[in-house]
Amino acid sequence: MKELLAKPGFLAAHGTFGADLSYLLAVVFTVMFLYAWRLAKKAHGTQHHKLIFASMISMLVYFIGYYYARQLGVLALEGIEGFGGPQETYDNVFIPILTTHLILVCLGLILAVYMIFQGFRACDKVDGEYRLQSRELKINPKSFKSVMMTLAGLWAVNQLILTFVRHKSFAAGLAWALIFGVIALVIFLERIIEKALPDGARRHRLLGRTTMVIFAMILATSTLTYLMLYVIYPKA
C-alpha cells in the first residue's frame, strides 16, 4: 500500500498518487456533504439521511486507511513530509495551516458521527419520509451511565488484550485509547448540547450548518496544504 501511495500522482507534477487521491477524495466528500445539506433544506429527509450515512462511512474508511498508511499529519509536523520552501514559511505558514486542518478534521469527524445519530433521534418517518420533529430531545441519565460504563469496560478489555495477549506497543494502546476517547466524546457531547439546545429539530439544523462550514474549511485548508507541498514548494 505504501509503495502505491508513493508513486507519481496525476494532478501535479511533484505530487504522489496518495496525495492526489487524498485531495480528490476530500473534494468528493465535501461535495457529497454539501449536496446532502441541500437535500435537507429541500425537506428530502430520507435522501439526505442515506447520502449523509454513505458519505460518512466512506470518509471514515478513507481517513483510517490513508492516515494509517501515510501518517501525513505526523510526518509533516516532524518536517519529513516533503516541504521544500524556506524554513520561515514552513514554521509561520505551512505548520499553522496544517495544524488547523488536522484540528478541523478531528472536529468534523466527531460532529459528523454525532449528527448522524442525533438526526435519527430527532426524526420521525411520516408517509415514508424522514422529517425533523420539534420536540425536547434528551438522553435518559441511566442510559447515559450504562453506555459510558459499557464503553469503559470494552476499552479496558481491549487494552488487556493488546498488552498481555497481542503484546502490542504503547503507541498501539494509545491509538486505541484515542478511538474510544472520541466515541466517548461524541456521547458526552450530547449531554452538553442538549442543555443549550433542547429542541431536537433546531439543534440538528443549527449544528448541521456548523458542520457544513467545518467541512468547507477542511477542503480549503486541504487545498492550501496540497498546493504548498506539491505545487508552490515541492521538495527537490
Side-chain angles (χ1 to χ4, degrees), residues 1-7 14-23 62-78 80-82 225-226 229-230:
M1 177 62 75
K2 291 183 178 180
E3 290 75 14
L4 174 63
L5 295 176
K7 288 184 177 180
H14 298 279
T16 63
F17 180 79
D20 289 359
L21 179 63
S22 172
Y23 179 68
Y62 152 69
F63 272 118
I64 291 171
Y66 182 77
Y67 279 95
Y68 175 79
R70 297 193 73 233
Q71 296 180 326
L72 175 58
V74 175
L75 295 178
L77 288 172
E78 291 176 351
I80 303 172
E81 178 56 29
T225 302
Y226 179 87
L229 279 174
Y230 303 111

Side-chain angles (χ1 to χ4, degrees), residues 112-145:
V113 172
Y114 168 78
M115 289 300 294
I116 287 176
F117 287 103
Q118 196 272 334
F120 277 109
R121 292 174 60 231
C123 282
D124 286 338
K125 208 164 188 179
V126 181
D127 297 328
E129 187 80 12
Y130 282 108
R131 298 189 186 279
L132 287 173
Q133 303 297 318
S134 293
R135 60 172 178 247
E136 189 177 66
L137 197 65
K138 289 187 177 182
I139 296 179
N140 185 291
K142 290 184 178 180
S143 299
F144 175 77
K145 290 180 181 179

